[in-house]
Amino acid sequence: QVQLVESGGGLVQAGGSLRLTCAASGRTLYIMGWFRRAPGKDRETVAAISRSGSNTHHADSVKGRFTISRDNAKNMVYLQMNSLQPEDTAVYYCAAASASTELTTNQYNYRAWGQGTQVTVSS
């Protein structure tokens, strides 16, 4: 089982940047994803990355602004967030999936979750 701990959230002005980090321990060769839940909304997929890091997916709402990456040697997954907007305000979660496919964005395939980190973007 993998344990996940997110960090890097905070308060930033619109147009600013943050980099979220997910530290993984235990068995770590999983498909990894970032998700977010805004107040009053369902949790949504933000980005996902394959085990090797060669294949990624970004939600349309963040494409061109956010980038997911991973460093398997350090057991780290990152989410670089640029040009942040107030609508990006949410709790961001890191999660791990063990699907048989190379990449999955289906939240139900993600079985291990971090505790979340708050991102607040002021206008």
Side-chain angles (χ1 to χ4, degrees), residues 62-119:
V62 307
K63 201 168 292 184
R65 301 188 298 123
F66 292 11
T67 303
I68 188 171
S69 62
R70 68 190 297 164
D71 184 336
N72 286 342
K74 296 181 179 179
N75 293 335
M76 293 287 197
V77 180
Y78 307 100
L79 185 67
Q80 179 66 43
M81 305 187 295
N82 298 327
S83 301
L84 282 160
Q85 299 302 314
E87 53 266 33
D88 295 317
T89 295
V91 178
Y92 284 72
Y93 299 90
C94 172
S98 58
S100 59
T101 55
E102 182 181 12
L103 191 65
T104 179
T105 59
N106 186 334
Q107 297 185 36
Y108 294 101
N109 288 331
Y110 287 81
R111 301 304 179 91
W113 293 81
Q115 82 288 351
T117 186
Q118 176 71 47
V119 172

